[in-house]
Amino acid sequence: MDSPFAVLDTPRNLADAAYGTLKRDILDFRLAPGDRFTETEIADRLRVSRTPVREALFRLEREGYLEVRQRNGWLVKPLDFDTLDHFYELRCVLETAAVRTLCAPGQIPDPLRALQPLLDTWLVDAEDYSHDGDWLANLDERFHMDLVAAAGNPEIARVHRAATERIRIVRQLDFTQPERIARTYAEHGAILTAILQRDAGQAIALLQAHIGDSQAAVRKITLHRMYATRRAQAA
């Protein structure tokens, strides 16, 4: 049987296709946290050479989904919920500090200008909402990182970016649920509106509730998928 990637006749297209397939396998827990595999096993399954597979795997490693084990192939990063909770807490502290700065008179001369790209993305009518889960996960990540960056402290932004990368594997799951999409647009819009009104108390309360709701949602989705995967493997 021919490879389903046979029509993708360039190395770039093959690597992109392998990346997309493997990322979806990870997010759908077909490659579950703690699973080990080799490049050869993946190449055989996808029926492509090891070169595009290797490129896809290193891309997923950079995004925080995989670890490379020189003697044992590759590992889907195990989930440690205590550690994930610590990174969520760190993100919340850093983003709260950024919101205080953005709301403080004189700290940011023109917060509207600093936040305009976020306003253009999130303060839109419901018919303009995107429903592409992968795209929205990236946009959501950019919202939080750009919010911190707008406060003007590059070192805080650097630490926040590192914390964000550590929880990326579970945060992607937030946009597999349709109701979370509309809620995220509404919550981001409300946070931005409060910041522009320089209402720090309201903006911080909205931000903390938003992060807490997302944290609870992805934990629930993750545990459900892990349970379903283990049941399927045991059947």
Side-chain angles (χ1 to χ4, degrees):
M1 182 182 299
D2 291 337
S3 166
F5 295 171
V7 295
L8 305 172
D9 55 0
T10 69
R12 174 77 271 151
N13 287 343
L14 287 169
D16 287 345
Y19 163 82
T21 298
L22 292 170
K23 184 174 182 179
R24 181 51 54 195
D25 285 346
I26 292 169
L27 294 178
D28 290 342
F29 283 62
R30 287 186 291 272
L31 285 172
D35 281 358
R36 295 177 183 271
F37 57 87
T38 66
E39 291 175 8
T40 300
E41 289 170 345
I42 297 297
D44 289 346
R45 176 161 69 85
L46 300 182
R47 298 195 294 280
V48 296
S49 71
R50 290 175 58 185
T51 299
V53 167
R54 184 179 301 113
E55 184 175 338
L57 293 173
F58 277 113
R59 183 175 171 186
L60 289 164
E61 181 198 25
R62 290 193 298 272
E63 293 182 359
Y65 295 105
L66 301 175
E67 294 178 4
V68 61
R69 300 297 177 91
Q70 297 299 330
R71 297 183 179 179
N72 304 106
W74 293 82
L75 173 74
V76 182
K77 278 193 174 180
L79 297 181
D80 178 343
F81 283 108
D82 287 339
T83 299
L84 292 172
D85 287 345
H86 294 160
F87 280 110
Y88 268 100
E89 183 178 352
L90 175 59
R91 278 186 59 234
C92 194
V93 168
L94 297 177
E95 291 180 33
T96 295
V99 167
R100 289 190 191 280
T101 298
L102 289 165
C103 291
Q107 290 291 314
I108 305 297
D110 189 355
L112 176 59
R113 181 177 180 181
L115 297 174
Q116 191 61 57
L118 295 178
L119 298 172
D120 292 341
T121 299
W122 297 103
L123 281 176
V124 295
D125 294 332
E127 58 265 26
D128 295 322
Y129 290 176
S130 172
H131 295 276
D132 182 328
D134 289 341
W135 176 245
L136 277 170
N138 291 329
L139 280 181
D140 176 69
E141 186 172 286
R142 291 305 319 172
F143 170 84
H144 292 275
M145 291 196 296
D146 289 351
L147 192 67
V148 173
N153 187 318
E155 289 305 308
I156 290 178
R158 178 183 60 79
V159 174
H160 178 269
R161 184 167 56 252
T164 297
E165 290 171 355
R166 292 293 299 271
I167 59 174
R168 181 177 288 147
I169 191 169
V170 294
R171 288 186 68 244
Q172 295 272 350
L173 297 174
D174 205 6
F175 298 96
T176 61
Q177 307 297 310
E179 68 275 9
R180 292 292 303 164
I181 292 174
R183 188 176 302 174
T184 297
Y185 272 97
E187 291 173 357
H188 285 184
I191 292 165
L192 292 169
T193 299
I195 292 172
L196 293 178
Q197 294 170 349
R198 296 194 185 273
D199 188 342
Q202 176 71 353
I204 289 169
L206 290 169
L207 175 69
Q208 291 175 344
H210 169 68
I211 293 174
D213 286 348
S214 176
Q215 182 179 1
V218 297
R219 178 185 281 259
K220 181 178 179 181
I221 296 167
T222 301
L223 289 172
H224 173 75
R225 291 203 175 188
M226 290 175 68
Y227 175 72
T229 298
R230 286 169 182 164
R231 285 194 62 186
Q233 290 173 343

